[in-house]
């Protein structure tokens, strides 16, 4: 973060310096091209009018007159043929001026010192307080010839402006640097917060705090970062719960198997007991096998590598076949089974959909009361088919309905605990229905029964 901050500040200040230099060169070119000749012409005109006035009024005291002009804001130098010279106004810093120039002006030429002041001095040439930087004009008064050199007294005329512009410059630079320092901090701060949030995420702490109220790209980034953190936390919770559930579900049949195998080692037990223990071991192995089969199926559905092998088939016939295979379990529990399964063709993965009906039907038997009812119906409405399994079993509480499709969830009633199950069947059902772009709806009342309605697109 520090380097980004420093980079940003240095970069902005560099841009400021570069643009100042560029602006200086541009304004200098403008001064040399336009302002310098204009300034020269202006001063030349002023000098000419001074000369004109002196010429027209031979009676005035030249010394007094020029003293007056200088007090308005000019620096004046005058010399005659004999070499006698006088200065009025603020003294020149550099008084050197070639005798040739003085001679030329005495002989009637105009000297354009301002226009020809060296270009290397840039715009500052305007301020150079030198005798060379003047306009020289010939002046005749009372028959005597003089050379008059004049330039505006910049200090007198513009001193306040000078200071004002100086302060303006210093304040602009100072304030810009301060604003850059502060605004960069404001810009970079959320990035450094994101960095520490990332570190905390990678350390397994999902409780990150970010300012997601900003209405810019960084605000958006923070928001999606928070969403990602929440999602990761959920995934991590699910993973932990999954491992703990799975370990428990594998561990309990294994310890039962071990316990009964130990008992079988005892040679004094009767054949009757032996048979009983072996049948328990078989049951537990069956449980483990169902669990691993269901886990493998869920894993392949999750990985999406169980690409749907879709084909057209008769759903009504499929469910009728299934009902036949469970006939003996239905009669064993003295359940009244009724169904309406017309011939309806649909397109889907028959093997996966068979798993759906299988799980729903088994649940309707398992969670039913002895002597209860089961109704299965199939209907086509528009572009959808509806398969309904209704039972008059133990039913579910409102809060339980929300969770029955969660992996490993088993409604925690005393009765459910006596019924074999893994809590994976309905998650498999939900995943398969979703892969077919279908929906599943549950209506249930505790102690009255449940209805599971599966809606699937026909094509
Ligand atoms: P399993 O039946 O192996 O426990 P499922 O995923 O099939 O797992 O079902 C999850 C839970 O939903 C069951 O444990 C049970 O509590 C509840 N359940 C499912 N079907 C029914 C039903 N027809 N009647 C009442 N409860 C049901």
């Amino acid at each position: 973060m520090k380097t980004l901050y420093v980079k940003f500040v240095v970069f902005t200040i560099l841009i400021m310096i570069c643009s100042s230099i560029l602006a200086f060169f541009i304004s200098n070119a403008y001064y040399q091209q336009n302002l310098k000749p204009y300034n020269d012409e202006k001063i030349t005109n002023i000098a000419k009018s001074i000369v004109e006035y002196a010429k027209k009024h031979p009676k005035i005291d030249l010394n007094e007159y020029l003293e007056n002009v200088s007090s308005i804001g000019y620096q004046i130098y005058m010399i005659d043929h004999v070499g006698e010279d006088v200065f009025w106004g603020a003294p020149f810093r550099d008084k050197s001026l070639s005798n040739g120039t003085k001679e030329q002006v005495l002989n009637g030429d105009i000297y354009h010192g301002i226009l020809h002041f060296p270009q290397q001095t840039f715009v500052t040439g305007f301020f150079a307080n030198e005798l060379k930087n003047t306009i020289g004009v010939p002046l005749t008064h009372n028959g005597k010839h003089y050379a008059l050199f004049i330039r505006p007294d910049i200090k007198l005329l513009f001193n306040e402006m000078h200071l004002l512009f100086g302060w303006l410059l210093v304040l602009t630079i100072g304030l810009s640097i301060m604003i850059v320092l502060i605004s960069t901090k404001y810009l970079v701060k959320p990035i450094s917060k994101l960095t520490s949030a990332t570190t905390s995420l990678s350390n397994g702490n999902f409780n990150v705090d970010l300012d997601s109220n900003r209405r810019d790209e960084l605000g958006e980034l923070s928001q999606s970062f928070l969403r990602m953190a929440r999602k990761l936390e959920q995934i991590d919770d699910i993973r932990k719960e999954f491992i703990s559930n799975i370990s428990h579900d594998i561990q309990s049949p294994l310890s039962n198997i071990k316990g009964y195998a130990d008992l079988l080692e005892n040679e004094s037990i009767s054949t009757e007991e032996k048979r009983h223990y072996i049948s328990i071991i078989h049951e537990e192995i069956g449980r483990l096998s169902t669990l691993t089969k269901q886990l493998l199926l869920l894993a392949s559905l999750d990985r999406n590598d169980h690409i749907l092998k879709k084909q057209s088939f008769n759903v009504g016939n499929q469910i009728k076949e299934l009902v036949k295979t469970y006939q003996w379990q239905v009669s064993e529990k003295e359940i009244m089974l009724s169904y309406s399964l017309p011939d309806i063709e649909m397109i889907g993965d028959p093997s996966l959909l068979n798993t759906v009906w299988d799980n729903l039907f088994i649940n309707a038997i398992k969670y039913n009361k002895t002597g209860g009812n089961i109704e299965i119906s199939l209907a086509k409405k528009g572009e959808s088919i509806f398969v309904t399994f209704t039972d008059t079993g133990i039913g579910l509480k409102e809060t339980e309905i929300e969770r029955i499709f969660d992996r490993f969830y088993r409604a925690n009633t005393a009765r459910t605990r006596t019924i074999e199950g893994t809590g994976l069947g309905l998650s498999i059902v939900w995943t398969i229905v979703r892969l077919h772009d279908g929906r599943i709806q549950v209506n249930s009342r505790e102690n009255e029964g449940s209805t599971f309605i599966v809606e699937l697109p026909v094509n």
Side-chain angles (χ1 to χ4, degrees):
M1 166 253 157
K2 293 281 180 316
T3 47
L4 182 63
Y5 178 73
V6 172
K7 267 185 197 165
F8 210 91
V9 169
V10 169
F11 205 69
T12 318
I13 291 177
L14 273 180
I15 289 176
M16 276 161 57
I17 292 173
C18 288
S19 47
S20 310
I21 292 173
L22 203 68
F24 177 75
F25 276 103
I26 292 171
S27 54
N28 187 57
Y30 180 70
Y31 172 75
Q32 298 291 350
Q33 284 296 316
N34 299 46
L35 292 185
K36 204 170 162 187
Y38 170 76
N39 190 32
D40 184 280
E41 197 188 318
K42 201 173 72 181
I43 310 292
T44 308
N45 286 337
I46 290 169
K48 277 180 180 165
S49 54
I50 292 170
V51 168
E52 199 63 25
Y53 187 85
K55 201 173 162 187
K56 275 191 190 154
H57 301 84
K59 288 206 186 97
I60 54 154
D61 181 339
L62 194 58
N63 185 42
E64 207 174 294
Y65 170 52
L66 292 177
E67 177 76 50
N68 250 318
V69 172
S70 76
S71 67
I72 303 169
Y74 291 93
Q75 291 168 278
I76 301 173
Y77 171 69
M78 198 170 75
I79 186 165
D80 61 12
H81 275 292
V82 195
E84 246 183 63
D85 55 1
V86 202
F87 287 96
W88 290 275
F92 288 95
R93 189 179 53 77
D94 182 348
K95 289 181 185 142
S96 60
L97 186 68
S98 74
N99 285 332
T101 309
K102 294 174 189 171
E103 208 55 48
Q104 271 179 343
V105 178
L106 276 169
N107 290 336
D109 285 350
I110 294 183
Y111 168 66
H112 291 282
I114 290 180
L115 185 64
H116 299 122
F117 201 72
Q119 293 218 351
Q120 298 89 296
T121 56
F122 298 116
V123 74
T124 52
F126 178 75
F127 303 102
N129 180 14
E130 297 174 25
L131 190 50
K132 272 196 227 86
N133 196 15
T134 53
I135 296 293
V137 282
L139 183 146
T140 315
H141 190 248
N142 287 335
K144 267 191 90 175
H145 298 290
Y146 304 94
L148 179 85
F149 296 88
I150 179 170
R151 64 173 269 102
D153 185 345
I154 304 289
K155 214 166 177 190
L156 186 74
L157 292 176
F158 304 119
N159 202 26
E160 318 79 60
M161 283 293 143
H162 230 143
L163 282 176
L164 187 74
F165 283 121
W167 273 114
L168 198 75
L169 197 72
V170 170
L171 275 177
T172 310
I173 294 174
L175 283 176
S176 311
I177 290 177
M178 248 166 67
I179 291 170
V180 165
L181 287 175
I182 294 167
S183 64
T184 309
K185 238 201 170 91
Y186 173 76
L187 268 175
V188 171
K189 205 172 156 194
I191 298 180
S192 60
K193 272 197 152 185
L194 268 174
T195 316
S196 52
T198 322
T199 321
S200 117
L201 263 196
S202 59
N203 289 337
N205 172 21
F206 298 96
N207 222 339
V208 288
D209 177 33
L210 285 175
D211 174 18
S212 53
N213 294 329
R214 289 171 65 117
R215 291 196 165 178
D216 53 10
E217 286 83 347
L218 286 172
E220 265 176 44
L221 184 63
S222 303
Q223 273 172 16
S224 39
F225 191 91
L226 283 179
R227 274 200 295 275
M228 183 187 78
R230 253 177 264 128
K231 194 96 209 164
L232 280 176
E233 187 174 19
Q234 278 174 3
I235 292 173
D236 197 56
D237 286 347
I238 291 173
R239 184 184 61 85
K240 284 182 191 147
E241 206 182 304
F242 190 82
I243 291 176
S244 112
N245 283 328
I246 218 172
S247 324
H248 175 262
D249 282 16
I250 291 175
Q251 189 51 43
S252 68
L254 280 180
S255 41
N256 278 347
I257 291 171
K258 183 171 184 319
Y260 286 103
D262 285 348
L263 286 176
L264 281 174
E265 274 177 0
N266 185 347
E267 278 159 17
S268 63
I269 56 169
S270 66
T271 334
E272 188 70 11
E273 280 171 319
K274 236 185 214 167
R275 238 185 248 133
H276 178 57
Y277 296 162
I278 288 173
S279 83
I280 292 176
I281 289 175
H282 273 302
E283 248 171 53
E284 294 295 346
I285 289 173
R287 254 172 80 184
L288 272 178
S289 157
T290 315
L291 177 69
T292 45
K293 269 186 211 147
Q294 286 183 322
L295 280 174
L296 282 172
L297 178 57
L298 262 180
S300 86
L301 290 172
D302 279 349
R303 281 199 310 268
N304 255 345
D305 60 9
H306 199 115
I307 307 156
L308 295 185
K309 296 183 186 74
K310 282 193 176 179
Q311 65 185 72
S312 176
F313 69 99
N314 189 320
V315 217
N317 275 346
Q318 187 181 47
I319 302 176
K320 267 186 227 156
E321 286 303 314
L322 184 82
V323 168
K324 271 187 212 156
T325 53
Y326 286 110
Q327 200 65 59
W328 65 272
Q329 287 192 22
V330 173
S331 355
E332 195 182 51
K333 231 176 161 178
E334 293 162 23
I335 289 173
M336 273 279 294
L337 174 70
S338 58
Y339 53 79
S340 147
L341 297 167
D343 284 342
I344 292 176
E345 288 280 328
M346 73 167 287
I347 292 176
D349 187 320
S351 144
L352 287 181
L353 287 175
N354 198 52
T355 311
V356 170
W357 321 135
D358 192 315
N359 278 307
L360 292 177
F361 190 39
I362 287 224
N363 282 351
I365 302 170
K366 272 200 309 193
Y367 301 107
N368 218 323
K369 294 168 187 153
T370 314
N373 290 337
I374 294 179
E375 253 178 63
I376 308 173
S377 74
L378 166 68
K380 187 174 164 186
K381 276 181 211 150
E383 287 305 298
S384 299
I385 61 149
F386 292 83
V387 185
T388 312
F389 290 81
T390 308
D391 66 61
T392 52
I394 59 172
L396 289 155
K397 290 194 191 115
E398 194 90 4
T399 47
E400 292 170 338
I401 295 178
E402 288 165 19
R403 300 203 52 199
I404 49 172
F405 296 107
D406 291 353
R407 291 176 188 191
F408 290 106
Y409 178 77
R410 304 201 69 211
N412 199 14
T413 61
R415 271 170 300 170
T416 315
R417 261 179 272 147
T418 61
I419 301 167
E420 277 292 316
T422 58
L424 289 173
L426 285 183
S427 0
I428 292 174
V429 167
W430 190 81
T431 313
I432 295 174
V433 170
R434 203 196 47 196
L435 280 176
H436 279 82
D437 298 319
R439 285 188 303 182
I440 180 158
Q441 194 196 324
V442 188
N443 302 322
S444 186
R445 262 168 191 270
E446 208 181 1
N447 291 322
E448 287 183 21
S450 318
T451 304
F452 287 79
I453 306 165
V454 178
E455 180 186 348
L456 292 169
V458 178
N459 295 312

